[in-house]
Amino acid sequence: MPSPLEPSGIPESHVRIEQRGDGAVVVRVRSTGEGDARLPDAVFSFRCGDPQYAYWLARLQAGADGRP
């Protein structure tokens, strides 16, 4: 797994990271493609104790969530 500040292989412009009120981190990855070839966006959630939770929380806290 990459270090907490190392970028993932996903383009930053396609990633949005949020933290819910219960502490879970929600990662939304925008799909690419046009029309019928476009897949639905992917949405992942991580809670404290999940293997990737610390990575995405660090990305959120560093402000590296792809928001304009």
Side-chain angles (χ1 to χ4, degrees):
M1 183 165 66
S3 71
L5 299 178
E6 184 179 325
S8 68
I10 304 167
E12 292 296 322
S13 62
H14 289 215
V15 178
R16 183 171 170 192
I17 307 169
E18 307 165 351
Q19 189 167 25
R20 296 191 317 216
D22 65 358
V25 174
V26 177
V27 180
R28 300 176 190 279
V29 182
R30 188 174 41 209
S31 178
T32 59
E34 300 285 331
D36 291 339
R38 184 177 177 144
L39 296 172
D41 294 348
V43 180
F44 305 93
S45 63
F46 303 98
R47 296 180 184 271
C48 186
D50 290 338
Q52 293 187 31
Y53 178 82
Y55 171 77
W56 290 108
L57 182 61
R59 290 264 313 259
L60 175 65
Q61 292 171 340
D65 63 0
R67 293 183 197 175

